[in-house]
Amino acid sequence: MSLIVVMLILIVASVLGVGGIQIAMMAERGTRNERDMQVAWQGAEAGLIDAEFDIEGLPASSANKRNTIFKRGDVDLAKFIDNCGDSGQSIGLCSLKETGKPAWLIVDFTTSGSGAKAVELGTYTGRDFPSGVKGTQPARPPRYVIEPILDRYGVKSYRTTDPSAGSGPSYVYRITSMGFGPNAETQGVLQIIYRN
């Protein structure tokens, strides 16, 4: 009789032990997933900052600056292409669509190399971004696209107080950035409206 009771106690203890192990493994997976998402969000935020630098022409030492495209009151709208540009100074510059899906929903942010429609961080700013190394670094650098939006309600004093501003309409820019986690399938997307 005591043998049967001891065997039942061992079986119950084994089931509880296996359940505890499974709970611990699920918690570890959840924690790893949260860490990967945080890395992706931080990468996307770095992409937004790089896009702001791109618009402003910073840093001043950058060899590929294209801040003349975004000059306040004199925006070069010819550089903004339907379905986003994929070559020269138009990479990642998307014309605003009045109907249908916005450009940031159509662009494949995971494409890299020639023909990519999203700008990789550092392309026009010369900034560096560690990625592709094993560990908790992002699998690839963040990428972004920029769309001009006519600023119908913007501050009109820009044109009167800034002598370098042109006489044309004022624009704000919708910047969409995608960051990647340590696994390239972990992706975070952030979007801001930026006025230069």
Side-chain angles (χ1 to χ4, degrees):
M1 188 69 167
S2 63
L3 181 62
I4 293 172
V5 170
V6 169
M7 292 299 287
L8 287 174
I9 291 173
L10 283 174
I11 289 171
V12 169
S14 297
V15 168
L16 289 175
V18 168
I21 290 170
Q22 287 180 336
I23 289 171
M25 288 176 64
M26 283 177 42
E28 187 271 334
R29 275 191 236 124
T31 302
R32 186 180 329 125
N33 184 47
E34 179 63 26
R35 180 209 58 200
D36 290 355
M37 279 307 299
Q38 287 299 320
V39 170
W41 290 123
Q42 290 170 5
E45 190 168 347
L48 291 177
I49 292 168
D50 196 64
E52 291 175 18
F53 282 5
D54 184 7
I55 291 170
E56 296 294 338
L58 299 172
S61 60
S62 174
N64 294 332
K65 288 193 295 187
R66 59 181 187 174
N67 57 318
T68 56
I69 295 171
F70 306 102
K71 187 174 179 186
R72 196 176 314 132
D74 195 17
V75 176
D76 187 357
L77 291 177
K79 298 285 186 185
F80 293 86
I81 311 294
D82 284 342
N83 298 322
C84 299
D86 59 3
S87 63
Q89 292 283 305
S90 292
I91 296 174
L93 300 182
C94 311
S95 63
L96 184 66
K97 293 184 172 219
E98 295 296 329
T99 59
K101 288 186 177 181
W104 58 272
L105 283 176
I106 298 170
V107 171
D108 182 5
F109 286 87
T110 61
T111 302
S112 58
S114 65
K117 294 183 180 275
V119 178
E120 185 175 301
L121 185 141
T123 301
Y124 297 106
T125 61
R127 297 174 70 224
D128 202 14
F129 191 82
S131 63
V133 181
K134 290 187 179 186
T136 55
Q137 291 184 351
R140 57 176 65 174
R143 305 183 76 79
Y144 63 87
V145 295
I146 302 172
E147 298 171 88
I149 301 172
L150 184 62
D151 189 8
R152 292 184 176 97
Y153 308 105
V155 179
K156 305 242 184 245
S157 63
Y158 276 150
R159 290 190 284 273
T160 58
T161 61
D162 184 358
S164 67
S167 59
S170 178
Y171 288 87
V172 294
Y173 302 97
R174 178 169 49 202
I175 305 169
T176 307
S177 175
M178 178 180 282
F180 301 91
N183 179 352
E185 281 78 42
T186 304
Q187 302 164 351
V189 177
L190 293 175
Q191 190 173 79
I192 62 170
I193 300 293
Y194 183 75
R195 175 182 283 123
N196 65 339

